[in-house]
């Protein structure tokens, strides 16, 4: 089962770890409400990059009033900034190999913050997860 682990360093980030013996995918068992309550962005993708499930963590004056992105292409329609970046490259490599578990930090064009991106395969379901956490510098 997932457990929460604090991570030291200059970025304020919560890390969730999953035990190797956890054969079930705990994310695959989340309800829509459970997915919406995650403290980070989570997008489940098909191998073609189509959105299967997601939560909306982006700040907005119209929270909850945005159109659903289910069924849309993540890299072309939902997050075009990721389509021509390391995110898309790593996703494609992971889909081709069937093995995807990579974490990296990157800047989002037009934003003043960096994000930590975790790409992970869900081998039982045959889908892929993109986790996105906004990074904030801790005061020195």
């Amino acid at each position: 089962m997932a457990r929460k682990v604090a991570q030291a360093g200059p970025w304020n980030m919560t890390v969730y770890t999953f035990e190797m013996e956890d054969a079930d995918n705990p994310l695959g068992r989340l309800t829509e409400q459970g997915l919406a309550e995650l403290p980070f962005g989570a997008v489940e993708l098909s191998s073609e990059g189509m959105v299967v499930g997601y939560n909306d963590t982006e700040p907005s004056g119209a929270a909850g009033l945005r159109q659903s992105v289910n069924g849309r292409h993540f890299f072309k329609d939902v997050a075009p900034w990721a389509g021509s970046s390391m995110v898309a490259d790593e996703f494609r490599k992971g889909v081709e190999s069937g093995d995807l578990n990579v974490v990296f930090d990157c800047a989002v064009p037009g934003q003043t913050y960096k994000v930590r991106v975790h790409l992970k395969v869900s081998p039982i379901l045959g889908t892929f997860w993109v986790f996105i956490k906004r990074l904030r510098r801790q005061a020195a």
Side-chain angles (χ1 to χ4, degrees):
M1 194 64 196
R3 67 185 170 91
K4 199 172 176 177
V5 179
Q7 179 176 331
W11 299 103
N12 179 16
M13 179 152 186
T14 302
V15 176
Y16 289 84
T17 63
F18 297 92
E19 302 300 326
M20 292 298 293
E21 63 273 4
D22 185 13
D24 294 332
N25 177 357
L27 295 168
R29 292 190 308 262
L30 287 176
T31 63
E32 283 190 35
Q33 180 65 30
L35 187 60
E37 292 172 356
L38 288 174
F40 47 83
V43 183
E44 185 179 13
L45 303 177
S46 70
S47 60
E48 295 82 27
M50 302 303 283
V51 176
V52 176
Y54 77 103
N55 72 346
D56 187 357
T57 60
E58 285 300 307
S60 166
L65 298 178
R66 289 186 237 187
Q67 281 189 311
S68 171
V69 296
N70 282 337
R72 296 177 61 196
H73 196 278
F74 180 74
F75 298 105
K76 292 177 184 170
D77 303 326
V78 178
W81 64 268
S84 60
S85 73
M86 183 179 182
V87 180
D89 293 341
E90 291 294 331
F91 177 79
R92 281 189 284 273
K93 282 191 251 179
V95 168
E96 288 171 9
S97 70
D99 183 29
L100 182 62
N101 188 9
V102 62
V103 178
F104 52 89
D105 296 346
C106 65
V108 178
Q111 299 298 328
T112 58
Y113 54 84
K114 286 186 174 183
V115 294
R116 179 157 295 152
V117 177
H118 184 177
L119 301 173
K120 180 121 179 83
V121 67
S122 175
I124 294 170
L125 299 174
T127 57
F128 301 84
W129 285 92
V130 180
F131 303 111
I132 302 172
K133 171 78 174 180
R134 183 185 304 202
L135 299 175
R136 294 184 176 96
R137 268 225 177 274
Q138 291 180 336

